[in-house]
Amino acid sequence: GDSVTQMEGPVTLSEEAFLTINCTYTATGYPSLFWYVQYPGEGLQLLLKATKADDKGSNKGFEATYRKETTSFHLEKGSVQVSDSAVYFCALSDSGGSNYKLTFGKGTLLTVNP
Amino acid sequence: ETGVTQTPRHLVMGMTNKKSLKCEQHLGHNAMYWYKQSAKKPLELMFVYNFKEQTENNSVPSRFSPECPNSSHLFLHLHTLQPEDSALYLCASSQEVAGVIVQFFGPGTRLTVL
């Protein structure tokens, strides 16, 4: 079945540091890939997505590129801020008949210190 | 603001109580979901409703009973819960965006079972 593996963290960075959160997946077919973010006390928010190989999703300075050859969708940001402290979830939805279902990774807690 | 609201935001109940969680969206979405988020575990999909019909029950114990009276409202009725059911319960709805199903989450209900 489908699965998502992401680095569990926690990740602690200083402000303006470079961020990478690794995500790899296994899926049948050609999945769409997502990064969701959960700020403290809130639900999940869609951060970015990519629907096919070599697509790059980007939002709020975050980027992730859909790499079919390495089955990866790593999240990056060049300069993190304190306000980026949150839990980040990598997810996929398969292109099969049940494409409304999301498979999530376990989440990575990011803490950015001033 | 994703347009998905959940009430209550916090709930404490005893094992013999009966309570209900409510989710509401006026985004025009046709699919709604219940997820369970426990510490250190991936997000668990519990139920999916598509056009008010339940299309997914992910082996959820019968002490959780969903109800979807219309496309805008989703309930989760709780009875005879166990302490291990304590978690954050997230509701989501979804729409197709450029051929991809995107889920929008509510803020969640933090449930504590004593």
Side-chain angles (χ1 to χ4, degrees):
Chain A
D2 298 344
S3 68
V4 174
T5 303
Q6 61 180 106
M7 54 190 288
E8 291 192 20
V11 174
T12 303
L13 296 173
S14 298
E15 207 163 23
E16 298 183 2
F18 184 86
L19 168 71
T20 300
I21 301 177
N22 290 337
C23 172
T24 57
Y25 67 90
T26 58
T28 55
Y30 301 95
S32 296
L33 302 174
F34 306 82
W35 277 100
Y36 278 82
V37 58
Q38 185 177 31
Y39 297 104
E42 299 182 14
L44 278 68
Q45 300 176 27
L46 178 65
L47 181 59
L48 53 84
K49 62 178 171 46
T51 58
K52 61 183 188 296
D54 299 325
D55 266 3
K56 177 186 282 187
S58 61
N59 186 26
K60 300 182 181 180
F62 291 90
E63 293 182 341
T65 302
Y66 190 143
R67 301 287 188 201
K68 190 167 184 293
E69 64 277 12
T70 54
T71 62
S72 65
F73 193 54
H74 305 321
L75 183 68
E76 296 183 336
K77 185 175 186 182
S79 176
V80 294
Q81 306 300 311
V82 172
S83 57
D84 294 326
S85 298
V87 181
Y88 291 82
F89 294 90
C90 186
L92 69 84
S93 70
D94 206 291
S95 59
S98 59
N99 66 351
Y100 54 82
K101 291 174 60 176
L102 285 176
T103 300
F104 285 89
K106 291 186 177 181
T108 301
L109 173 63
L110 169 67
T111 302
V112 181
N113 295 317
Chain B
E1 175 58 52
T2 64
V4 180
T5 59
Q6 291 186 242
T7 54
R9 293 292 307 273
H10 300 271
L11 179 62
V12 179
M13 59 187 290
M15 289 191 286
T16 57
N17 292 155
K18 287 185 180 181
K19 297 286 184 183
S20 295
L21 310 185
K22 179 182 176 182
C23 176
E24 187 171 350
Q25 59 90 9
H26 294 289
L27 301 170
H29 298 172
N30 293 315
M32 296 186 75
Y33 311 73
W34 280 116
Y35 286 88
K36 177 182 179 182
Q37 186 178 28
S38 306
K40 312 259 185 223
K41 293 176 70 174
L43 231 61
E44 300 172 57
L45 178 64
M46 299 175 72
F47 301 104
V48 182
Y49 278 80
N50 220 356
F51 291 95
K52 301 189 296 177
E53 299 298 320
Q54 187 181 124
T55 54
E56 185 91 18
N57 176 340
N58 215 18
S59 303
V60 180
S62 59
R63 57 186 184 269
F64 295 92
S65 174
E67 179 190 0
C68 188
N70 55 61
S71 294
S72 300
H73 294 86
L74 185 65
F75 295 89
L76 188 61
H77 303 299
L78 316 171
H79 65 96
T80 327
L81 294 192
Q82 306 297 311
E84 60 264 28
D85 296 323
S86 299
L88 182 68
Y89 288 85
L90 293 165
C91 175
S93 66
S94 69
Q95 69 170 142
E96 186 171 326
V97 178
V100 178
I101 304 294
V102 178
Q103 293 189 17
F104 296 83
F105 286 79
T109 294
R110 173 68 64 187
L111 173 67
T112 303
V113 181
L114 302 177

